[in-house]
């Protein structure tokens, strides 16, 4: 049965469009995208199958209609970006993203880091002042920043997260100097544009992507220095146990995206409230089978349990980003 072209995920539609326009033009388009976008679209390209003429016609027509709606591309683009994102996300949520987008047009040094392996980034910045490291990590996506942080010395990690959580913007001169340092290593260009980076939410997002044991050690260090700040970070972190606050429809959507093996392993380390939440959102037969699997599962390594929980959380965040579920709890959005 043919798939409705309009139902295809965004990356698949982009992949169909790029594969339709030819290798050269597609390469030129990809040059203007970030590493995350390239990875998503590349994955979509590699997994495309059963692409019909209807799919291609739909995507090309949609592109044509979108292009026709923008007859003054580039005119007032900055104001347009601010207006659209503020309307879509609200001013509080959009402010950091807007600064990051507008900064990214010129800040080649910082943006180039997103293409590097986290271990390489860690080697590059490990001897810099912790405040510089905090600014750099704040510019990375949370998962990349978390992995980079994990490669830095343990004694530095809590201090860096503390600095990230208390960042309240970066002065133009300081950002200019940092970008120049990175330019010399990455052949980028400098910028004097300021950016609102860091903050408690950024620190929480980074910690969410770290292993549970590492995250706990970092939080312990932060709390020893500033107990109030530690509590604020903890409130914004979404951990495996926070899934208990996701609504029933969200849990059902999540369960369709994860394997039974991963679920069994993850639940070995979960409390009864979360287990009951999961059981409630399964069919009676499926819940019985899951209980049996849990009882039959012998002792497992904590690292395996944490790995499975991390895998499920990654799926939950992906579903949250696509709007399929809302992550509840202290770090989630409130619904009214």
């Amino acid at each position: 049965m043919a798939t409705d072209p309009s139902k295809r995920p965004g990356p698949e539609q982009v992949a169909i469009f790029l594969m339709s326009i030819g290798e050269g033009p597609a390469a030129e388009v990809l040059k203007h995208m970030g590493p995350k976008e390239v990875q998503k679209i590349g994955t979509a390209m590699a997994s495309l199958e059963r692409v019909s003429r209807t799919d291609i016609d739909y995507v090309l027509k949609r592109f044509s209609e979108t292009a026709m709606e923008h007859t003054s591309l580039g005119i007032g683009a900055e104001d347009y970006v601010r207006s659209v994102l503020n309307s879509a996300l609200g001013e509080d949520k959009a402010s950091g993203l807007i600064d990051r987008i507008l900064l990214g047009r010129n800040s080649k040094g910082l943006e180039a880091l997103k293409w590097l392996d986290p271990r390489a980034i860690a080697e590059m910045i490990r001897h810099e002042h912790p405040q510089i490291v905090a600014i750099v990590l704040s510019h990375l996506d949370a998962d990349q920043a978390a992995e980079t942080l994990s490669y830095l010395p343990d004694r530095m990690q809590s201090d860096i997260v503390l600095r990230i959580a208390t960042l309240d913007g970066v002065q133009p001169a300081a950002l200019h100097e940092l970008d120049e340092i990175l330019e010399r290593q990455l052949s980028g260009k400098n910028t004097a544009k300021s950016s609102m980076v860091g903050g408690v939410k950024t620190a929480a997002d980074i910690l969410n992507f770290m292993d549970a044991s590492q995250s706990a050690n970092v939080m312990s260090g932060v709390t020893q220095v500033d107990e109030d700040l530690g509590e604020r970070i903890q409130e914004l972190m979404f951990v495996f146990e926070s899934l208990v606050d996701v609504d029933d429809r969200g849990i059902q959507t999540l369960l369709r995206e994860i394997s039974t093996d991963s679920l069994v392993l993850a639940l070995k380390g979960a409390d009864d409230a979360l287990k009951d939440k999961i059981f409630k959102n399964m069919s009676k037969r499926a819940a019985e089978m899951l209980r049996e699997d849990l009882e039959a599962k012998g002792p497992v390594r904590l690292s395996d349990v944490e790995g499975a929980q991390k895998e499920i959380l990654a799926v939950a965040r992906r579903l949250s980003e696509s709007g399929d579920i809302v992550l509840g709890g202290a770090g989630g959005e409130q619904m009214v």
Side-chain angles (χ1 to χ4, degrees):
M1 183 175 180
T3 302
D4 181 350
S6 66
K7 301 297 185 184
R8 283 186 179 274
E12 282 192 15
Q13 293 191 31
V14 175
I16 292 172
F17 172 76
L18 293 179
M19 295 176 79
S20 300
I21 64 176
E23 184 176 330
E28 289 299 315
V29 172
L30 288 172
K31 285 180 182 179
H32 298 281
M33 295 185 178
K36 291 276 186 180
E37 294 170 313
V38 172
Q39 182 178 351
K40 286 182 180 179
I41 294 168
T43 300
M45 284 180 170
S47 59
L48 273 180
E49 52 186 37
R50 296 191 299 277
V51 178
S52 67
R53 184 71 239 177
T54 302
D55 291 322
I56 296 173
D57 289 344
Y58 170 81
V59 170
L60 293 178
K61 180 181 179 183
R62 185 180 175 198
F63 171 78
S64 177
E65 291 173 347
T66 302
M68 290 293 289
E69 291 173 359
H70 297 80
T71 57
S72 302
L73 291 177
I75 299 177
E78 184 168 321
D79 290 338
Y80 178 79
V81 169
R82 291 184 183 278
S83 176
V84 169
L85 292 181
N86 279 327
S87 297
L89 304 176
E91 290 188 14
D92 289 342
K93 213 170 181 184
S95 59
L97 179 61
I98 290 170
D99 283 332
R100 194 164 161 182
I101 289 173
L102 299 179
L103 169 69
R105 296 174 303 171
N106 303 311
S107 181
K108 303 302 182 185
L110 286 166
E111 290 301 306
L113 289 178
K114 295 182 180 180
W115 294 92
L116 297 183
D117 177 77
R119 190 187 296 271
I121 299 174
E123 287 302 316
M124 181 183 299
I125 63 176
R126 67 168 55 246
H127 298 301
E128 298 292 340
H129 188 280
Q131 191 72 3
I132 296 295
V133 177
I135 295 171
V136 169
L137 294 188
S138 294
H139 274 82
L140 301 179
D141 291 321
D143 54 345
Q144 188 184 27
E147 191 172 350
T148 301
L149 183 63
S150 71
Y151 288 125
L152 295 173
D154 292 346
R155 57 183 172 76
M156 293 177 59
Q157 292 178 1
S158 296
D159 182 30
I160 291 168
V161 170
L162 188 70
R163 291 172 184 271
I164 290 172
T166 53
L167 270 177
D168 189 23
V170 183
Q171 293 298 315
L175 194 61
H176 177 82
E177 182 179 351
L178 171 59
D179 208 47
E180 281 191 333
I181 292 172
L182 294 173
E183 283 174 48
R184 289 195 289 270
Q185 301 182 59
L186 300 170
S187 300
K189 295 180 181 179
N190 62 25
T191 178
K193 187 168 182 64
S194 63
S195 175
M196 293 301 294
V197 297
V200 177
K201 185 64 170 67
T202 300
D205 288 341
I206 291 172
L207 289 172
N208 274 335
F209 279 96
M210 297 187 74
D211 290 337
S213 56
Q214 286 183 312
S215 176
N217 288 337
V218 171
M219 279 302 303
S220 175
V222 171
T223 303
Q224 287 177 14
V225 175
D226 190 328
E227 184 174 354
D228 179 62
L229 182 62
E231 290 179 359
R232 286 163 55 205
I233 294 174
Q234 188 67 52
E235 287 173 358
L236 290 173
M237 289 180 65
F238 189 88
V239 295
F240 188 70
E241 299 299 339
S242 303
L243 288 174
V244 75
D245 295 312
V246 175
D247 63 25
D248 290 344
R249 181 177 296 181
I251 291 292
Q252 292 161 20
T253 300
L254 177 62
L255 290 175
R256 289 195 291 269
E257 298 289 327
I258 59 179
S259 69
T260 301
D261 289 343
S262 293
L263 182 60
V264 171
L265 195 54
L267 289 181
K268 287 289 288 184
D271 60 26
D272 290 339
L274 180 53
K275 290 177 182 177
D276 291 340
K277 178 86 170 187
I278 298 295
F279 295 144
K280 185 180 76 169
N281 284 284
M282 306 175 78
S283 69
K284 184 176 180 180
R285 177 58 184 153
E288 289 175 354
M289 292 176 64
L290 180 59
R291 285 191 178 93
E292 291 172 0
D293 289 341
L294 280 169
E295 291 173 1
K297 191 82 170 175
V300 294
R301 290 179 297 186
L302 178 60
S303 59
D304 291 337
V305 172
E306 291 179 345
Q309 292 181 349
K310 187 176 180 181
E311 178 184 331
I312 292 174
L313 281 175
V315 175
R317 292 190 188 98
R318 172 172 59 79
L319 292 173
S320 175
E321 289 171 0
S322 64
D324 294 314
I325 69 174
V326 175
L327 297 183
E333 297 182 51
Q334 297 299 311
M335 302 294 288
V336 294

